[in-house]
Amino acid sequence: MADFDRTHKLGYGEILKAEMGGDKKIHISGYASTNTPDLVDDIVEPAAFDKYLHMYKNNPIYCFNHNKEIPIGRVNSIYTDEKGLFIEDAVLSNIPVVKDIIGPLVLDGVLRQQSIGFLSLKGEPDGKFYRHKEVYLLEPSLVSIAC
């Protein structure tokens, strides 16, 4: 099991916990998005997900580096809290690229950042930042380098 220090102040998410489950699959939990600025000064407010999050739950894919053509797993539990969008349980599949490459890198703490692909439906400038107030979540992703 890998537990990670969360000392960043950026708006992208990080994996808080990654462990091998009894089902022999890797289970991940952590923030996919937080309410602080990311590297391009975007802020996604936690409430921005509320209107459409139920639609994502109809097809809860989990991607690697935002590649929607080959999802690497599924999200069993996702919700918002005051800090952001929290993935309580993402389960990585046992396809070869996950089992042989991505999974070991997650368990070793090499891959530990998350990001989201979304459509911004409402937002506004806020000083040097852009504040997203309503979004349609397309997918959360495990990423090598988050924005």
Side-chain angles (χ1 to χ4, degrees):
M1 174 169 77
D3 288 307
F4 305 109
D5 177 28
R6 299 198 58 241
T7 57
H8 69 84
K9 299 293 183 211
L10 298 172
Y12 59 78
E14 272 197 282
I15 295 171
L16 295 178
K17 186 184 201 179
E19 62 188 352
M20 186 67 70
D23 57 1
K24 303 294 183 201
K25 294 182 179 181
I26 297 171
H27 292 253
I28 291 174
S29 61
Y31 284 92
S33 175
T34 62
N35 61 3
T36 53
D38 64 14
L39 293 177
V40 295
D41 293 331
D42 278 345
I43 299 170
V44 180
E45 295 180 352
F49 298 98
D50 291 348
K51 188 172 182 180
Y52 296 104
L53 188 57
H54 72 280
M55 294 179 75
Y56 166 76
K57 292 177 180 180
N58 291 329
N59 185 32
I61 64 169
Y62 190 68
C63 297
F64 180 63
N65 284 332
H66 301 290
N67 181 350
K68 295 176 247 346
E69 293 181 24
I70 305 175
I72 62 167
R74 74 177 181 283
V75 174
N76 289 330
S77 179
I78 186 169
Y79 59 87
T80 57
D81 63 19
E82 68 283 342
K83 187 168 185 174
L85 182 66
F86 191 79
I87 294 176
E88 189 170 7
D89 184 27
V91 181
L92 301 188
S93 70
N94 280 331
I95 61 174
V97 69
V98 173
K99 189 173 75 171
D100 299 335
I101 299 170
I102 296 171
L105 292 172
V106 169
L107 292 174
D108 287 345
V110 174
L111 290 174
R112 59 188 221 180
Q113 294 184 346
Q114 296 187 95
S115 179
I116 56 170
F118 64 95
L119 301 175
S120 183
L121 304 174
K122 290 183 185 172
E124 61 188 32
D126 182 7
K128 75 174 206 164
F129 306 110
Y130 189 83
R131 191 172 295 276
H132 299 274
K133 297 192 170 278
E134 186 175 289
V135 301
Y136 183 98
L137 179 66
L138 298 172
E139 45 76 26
S141 280
L142 173 65
V143 294
S144 302
I145 299 172
C147 176

